[in-house]
Amino acid sequence: MTVIALEGGGLILHSPTSVDANLRDEILHLGPVVAIIAPSWWHDLYLHETLQLFPEAALYGPSTLVKWSRSLAFTAVLSDSSPSMWNREMAQEHVTGIGLFLDEVVFYHRASRSLIVADLLFNISLSDAWLTRALARIVIGPYPGCRFARLYRPLVFDRPRFRASIERILEWDFDQLIVGHGAVVQTGGKEVFREVFRWLLK
Ligand SMILES: [Fe+2]
């Protein structure tokens, strides 16, 4: 989970994990939660419980999740256009040209020069749990390091469109790279990102 503090004082919870009482108190100490973002179809595990903790928050998700999760009351579908709540502080890109497994919207937080992704790339390390590493070896590929999952490659059905999405992301001036799985790349994230997609860009 990434917590984004808006300049106006509200918080956005991106890809919420399980929030226990201590974490809830820490979050509320920072400010009120105004939005919860499920950035991809597969990052919905804790949405129900997070919404119960922060019932005033608006809920955003990609179109497949909104379509298939009828029990969740989404405020709006995520697209390439940021809602007015955060459009001065964050830009976003709906990654296209790849199958529905990766129905993901990635975010660029301008003030911290951070790119925030869920599954577009992974950063599995030697310190991750053995089960994570065992699964990662099959699904993602060798580790440590940032990678585009090898199981996703056959899902790229429109290479020019997928490449165009990646190129638009590279137009952003990010340095920090926050991934949904694995360690944050605190600096040099743009070079890491470009290297991960070198196979696509050349
Ligand atoms: Fe994920």
Side-chain angles (χ1 to χ4, degrees):
M1 175 166 69
T2 303
V3 180
I4 299 142
L6 294 172
E7 286 168 6
L11 304 176
I12 299 174
L13 304 185
H14 173 280
S15 192
T17 51
S18 187
V19 176
D20 62 18
N22 286 338
L23 182 54
R24 183 199 59 201
D25 291 347
E26 276 188 58
I27 291 169
L28 288 175
H29 186 70
L30 297 173
V33 175
V34 294
I36 296 166
I37 293 176
S40 84
W41 192 6
W42 301 103
H43 281 233
D44 64 331
L45 274 181
Y46 301 103
L47 292 182
H48 281 285
E49 70 174 68
T50 311
L51 273 170
Q52 283 181 350
L53 291 173
F54 308 105
E56 305 299 319
L59 178 64
Y60 296 86
S63 59
T64 45
L65 185 59
V66 173
K67 183 177 175 186
W68 292 103
S69 300
R70 295 281 167 85
S71 60
L72 289 164
F74 282 90
T75 306
V77 174
L78 292 169
S79 68
D80 289 330
S81 312
S82 305
S84 57
M85 181 190 288
W86 65 73
N87 66 2
R88 283 187 302 280
E89 293 160 63
M90 286 202 296
Q92 62 198 61
E93 167 74 18
H94 183 211
V95 179
T96 56
I98 185 165
L100 293 178
F101 275 124
L102 196 87
D103 188 11
E104 175 165 341
V105 178
V106 301
F107 296 85
Y108 169 54
H109 184 248
R110 295 186 179 92
S112 63
R113 297 179 62 208
S114 301
L115 184 73
I116 309 169
V117 310
D119 298 322
L120 183 58
L121 56 90
F122 299 83
N123 187 19
I124 305 301
S125 67
L126 295 169
S127 60
D128 278 309
W130 72 268
L131 184 59
T132 302
R133 287 183 284 121
L135 286 172
R137 194 180 290 281
I138 298 165
V139 175
I140 301 165
Y143 58 84
C146 287
R147 290 187 181 277
F148 179 64
R150 62 174 154 208
L151 285 195
Y152 286 166
R153 283 219 191 184
L155 302 175
V156 179
F157 64 85
D158 188 331
R159 198 172 163 127
R161 279 179 64 199
F162 185 55
R163 185 168 57 232
S165 271
I166 298 301
E167 286 173 343
R168 280 193 291 275
I169 292 167
L170 281 166
E171 287 173 9
W172 293 330
D173 183 29
F174 61 94
D175 188 41
Q176 181 168 233
L177 174 56
I178 301 172
V179 294
H181 303 273
V184 172
V185 179
Q186 292 183 324
T187 189
K190 190 163 182 175
E191 289 69 33
V192 170
F193 186 91
R194 186 179 281 114
E195 183 61 25
V196 165
F197 290 102
R198 198 153 56 94
W199 59 275
L200 178 74
L201 297 168
K202 60 186 178 186

